[in-house]
Amino acid sequence: MQHAKIIILLAALLGAAGLTGCASPGLSEGRELIGSGATEAGLARLQAGMKEEPNNLELKSYYYSQREKLASQWLLQAQQEIEQANFVAAGATLQKVLTIHPENPRAKTLLANMESEVTNHRLLEEAQTALNQNNLALAADKARQVLAQSPNYAGAIDMQRKVQVARAQDEIAPRELNASSRKMVTLEFRDSPLRNVFDMISRQSSINFVFDKDVRLDTKATLFARNTTIADAISMLLTTGQLARKVMSPTTLLIYPDTPQKQKQYQELMVKSFYLGNADAKSVMAMLRVLIKSKDMYVDERLNQLVIRDTPDAIHLAEKIIAVQDLAEPEVMLHVEVLEVKRSHLLDLGVQYPNQFSLLNPNPLTSPLTLENLKHISAKDIGISPTPAVNVQQDDSDVNILANPRIRVKNREKAKILIGDKLPVITTTSTANVGVSESVSYLDVGLKLEVEPSVLMRDDVQIKVNLEVSNIVKEVRSAGGSLTYQIGTRNATTVLRLKDGETQVLAGLISEEQRGSSSGIPGLASLPILGHLFSSKSDENTKTEIVLLITPHILRNAQAPQPAISEFRGVTENAIGGGTDAPSSMMAERNFPPIQVAPPEAPIEPPANPEIEPIPMILPSPPLPSLPQPDQSGN
């Protein structure tokens, strides 16, 4: 009866709890709204329900969990909008977060930083505009302003990197003359003062010339150039006059004597670092000293880095030479199969008779054996050995021992394979007044293979192969007790040249042993036919052959570089490492856009003879000497 009351009471409590849950309209309606996707309306209904039922813990728990979930989604959306510079939408999203959760610290922080984000974004836009206009100083200043407020601002750090790249390109870009230097002209001067030649070129091309105090402008110059650019004409004039130039601005050239002292004074040098991934920096430095005569070079072995300080032309030559040398080492995978084929034949046939009779001591207590003892010898006192037996045995066996290693080897590097044992060899050393000491060394016994591949062009592989197969023949002990071994060995050394994937078989390392033995009763064993009944014979033949199969597979081969990299002009001997003018072919490499320059505007009257072309620029020069005319006979 008591149990029945308890059950009824529990049922009443559960029913009351169920009626209480069902009686919370705020919780049920809020769940329905959130489940249908109206999350904000659902939260509002839950918040109103909390005012109606302030003691409903389930309602409060559900409201706070849904509020945190929605706030996290909105905060993530606001962060993305800030990163996309959509500040208006980000502000609206943060206000929504604060509406449902006024104490949210993350929303307050983002909203407080919105003003600085707007300012940083505006400064970066101005910096990008300045960078597009090649105003690097203004772009760098705007980036510094952003980093002063936000040291880790990714956009400002990226802008600084862009400015540094642009400045580096501007610093290393060679100064060049403007488009007027590519104007096509025809020049003819004979024994004219150098001052007059440069003056005429200046008037026709608007190029200004500044001369070093040691340039002799009264030197006579001769120049004949038809349909030539002004830049090429200046180069020819400087080369023949042992002069050099330096571009001061797009319209100004400095002319100075081409001497080592003046080169050091005027010629600008470049510094470039080469991080080598494959070639050795010291070897490359030695090569560059020979080819481009560079003296100012430094090697950092820790980074495998080569730093060169030289003229721009020498740096450009070094770039091309290093591009040819800094190539990845070829690699090859060697598939090796080593097969040991052992064939043995054993025939043991006959009767084994005793070959030794021994007298057993009839009385062990009596010693030594005397003639008196021999009087009492019986059959039980005589022993025989070995035990008589009939041998009928024939064995044939073929044993194959296979090793199949795969090794990956760099070009011109050695690889070793050892399949076997290391035998200890103990050496005893006796020293006066010290004593005896022992040392242990180890001897490799088994299969030892050494290979050194060289990957050649056209997918050929040259392989140096050294194969050694050794085994223990017998153990030898010295008089002092030291243990040594007698080793039997077979060696093969050769050089192969195989195609990629070609298999080569090396065989013929054969070892053959033939052993025969017989034993029997003397006299009877020698009988022609009946002798087999009184003897035992054993014949053993063993033949061992080593077979090596090797197959190279090229994993990475050195490709022949393109002619543009492996073959290029090296300028002149004097120009390398201290050059003056670059030839027109090198100027063409700098990707000047092709333009057409009109001839001089000054009208020139054509000569009377229409077969003679007009000469746009001619300075007065002495008349040509008259050449002797050949006579009619041809002499």
Side-chain angles (χ1 to χ4, degrees), residues 172 205 256 521 627:
I172 65 177
S205 63
Y256 58 91
I521 299 176
L627 299 176

Side-chain angles (χ1 to χ4, degrees), residues 139-443:
D141 182 65
K142 298 294 182 182
R144 280 195 298 269
Q145 293 181 32
V146 176
L147 292 175
Q149 297 293 330
S150 305
N152 298 323
Y153 201 83
I157 295 175
D158 185 63
M159 178 56 63
Q160 275 193 337
R161 183 188 60 80
K162 291 180 180 178
V163 171
Q164 292 173 358
V165 171
R167 280 178 172 172
Q169 293 176 350
D170 184 65
E171 289 176 358
I172 65 177
R175 295 193 183 99
E176 297 294 343
L177 296 174
N178 56 19
S180 62
S181 64
R182 283 165 279 146
K183 183 179 180 180
M184 303 297 294
V185 295
T186 297
L187 301 174
E188 291 190 5
F189 298 98
R190 177 179 287 106
D191 294 334
S192 298
L194 195 61
R195 185 193 310 274
N196 295 344
V197 178
F198 280 110
D199 180 64
M200 177 60 70
I201 295 176
S202 177
R203 284 189 282 115
Q204 290 297 324
S205 63
S206 300
I207 296 177
N208 303 315
F209 295 95
V210 180
F211 299 92
D212 182 82
K213 62 182 181 64
D214 293 332
V215 175
R216 299 181 56 185
L217 295 176
D218 56 348
T219 304
K220 301 297 182 179
T222 299
L223 176 64
F224 294 90
R226 291 179 175 270
N227 297 326
T228 306
T229 63
I230 291 178
D232 287 343
I234 294 175
S235 297
M236 291 185 287
L237 188 63
L238 297 178
T239 302
T240 56
Q242 296 181 353
L243 300 174
R245 72 172 189 175
K246 179 180 180 181
V247 180
M248 308 297 294
S249 70
T251 58
T252 304
L253 279 179
L254 169 65
I255 308 300
Y256 58 91
D258 189 9
T259 60
Q261 294 78 9
K262 295 297 181 180
Q263 292 287 355
K264 292 181 179 180
Q265 181 178 353
Y266 291 115
Q267 194 168 49
E268 295 183 355
L269 302 179
M270 288 179 60
V271 178
K272 184 162 185 178
S273 299
F274 297 91
Y275 293 90
L276 307 180
N278 301 286
D280 180 66
K282 284 189 174 181
S283 300
V284 174
M285 181 178 67
M287 178 181 59
L288 294 180
R289 288 193 188 278
V290 175
L291 295 180
I292 64 175
K293 309 297 189 294
S294 290
K295 296 182 180 179
D296 298 336
M297 290 189 289
Y298 176 78
V299 168
D300 187 350
E301 297 183 6
R302 180 176 59 90
L303 300 175
N304 199 31
Q305 175 193 19
L306 176 63
V307 183
I308 304 177
R309 179 175 178 265
D310 212 322
T311 62
D313 290 339
I315 293 293
H316 295 157
L317 287 177
E319 288 177 350
K320 295 183 177 181
I321 294 173
I322 291 176
V324 177
Q325 295 297 317
D326 193 23
L327 300 177
E329 283 279 352
E331 285 188 274
V332 60
M333 177 74 77
L334 296 178
H335 291 192
V336 181
E337 296 183 22
V338 182
L339 182 66
E340 183 177 4
V341 182
K342 184 176 181 180
R343 301 180 180 89
S344 62
H345 174 75
L346 174 62
L347 178 61
D348 191 357
L349 182 63
V351 180
Q352 182 177 357
Y353 289 94
N355 55 19
Q356 182 179 3
F357 294 88
S358 59
L359 178 62
L360 302 178
N361 193 348
N363 187 5
L365 299 178
T366 304
S367 181
L369 183 64
T370 62
L371 293 176
E372 183 66 25
N373 299 130
L374 295 178
K375 295 179 181 180
H376 308 286
I377 291 177
S378 62
K380 63 179 182 179
D381 298 324
I382 299 175
I384 60 174
S385 65
T387 304
V390 178
N391 296 325
V392 181
Q393 180 182 4
Q394 181 175 357
D395 293 335
D396 290 310
S397 62
D398 294 331
V399 180
N400 297 339
I401 303 174
L402 180 64
N404 187 19
R406 296 186 180 185
I407 49 176
R408 182 169 179 169
V409 196
K410 285 180 62 176
N411 188 37
R412 302 182 187 278
E413 295 290 340
K414 291 184 178 180
K416 297 181 180 180
I417 300 173
L418 174 62
I419 303 174
D421 301 314
K422 286 182 174 291
L423 299 180
V425 178
I426 301 176
T427 304
T428 303
T429 304
S430 179
T431 307
N433 300 326
V434 175
V436 179
S437 62
E438 291 184 349
S439 61
V440 181
S441 59
Y442 292 91
L443 182 65

Side-chain angles (χ1 to χ4, degrees), residues 22 24-43 45-46 62 66:
C22 296
S24 177
L27 178 59
S28 59
E29 293 176 6
R31 281 177 172 173
E32 290 179 2
L33 290 172
I34 293 175
S36 62
T39 307
E40 297 182 45
L43 288 176
R45 183 67 188 91
L46 291 173
Y62 185 72
Q66 293 299 318

Side-chain angles (χ1 to χ4, degrees), residues 31-102:
R31 281 177 172 173
E32 290 179 2
L33 290 172
I34 293 175
S36 62
T39 307
E40 297 182 45
L43 288 176
R45 183 67 188 91
L46 291 173
Q47 192 174 15
M50 289 172 58
K51 295 179 180 179
E52 298 170 359
E53 304 176 61
N55 297 325
N56 193 332
L57 297 180
E58 184 181 2
L59 176 62
K60 288 183 179 181
S61 176
Y62 185 72
Y63 168 74
Y64 287 127
S65 63
Q66 293 299 318
R67 187 185 69 172
E68 290 298 328
K69 181 178 179 181
L70 182 60
S72 299
Q73 294 177 356
W74 282 346
L75 287 173
L76 180 60
Q77 178 183 345
Q79 185 66 44
Q80 294 175 351
E81 290 169 346
I82 291 174
E83 293 175 357
Q84 297 171 2
N86 192 356
F87 300 109
V88 177
T93 304
L94 292 175
Q95 289 296 338
K96 289 164 62 176
V97 175
L98 293 175
T99 300
I100 64 172
H101 192 186

Side-chain angles (χ1 to χ4, degrees), residues 467-484:
L467 175 65
E468 178 181 342
V469 180
S470 57
N471 62 299
I472 302 175
V473 177
K474 65 178 180 179
E475 296 181 354
V476 179
R477 286 194 175 273
S478 63
S482 300
L483 178 63
T484 58

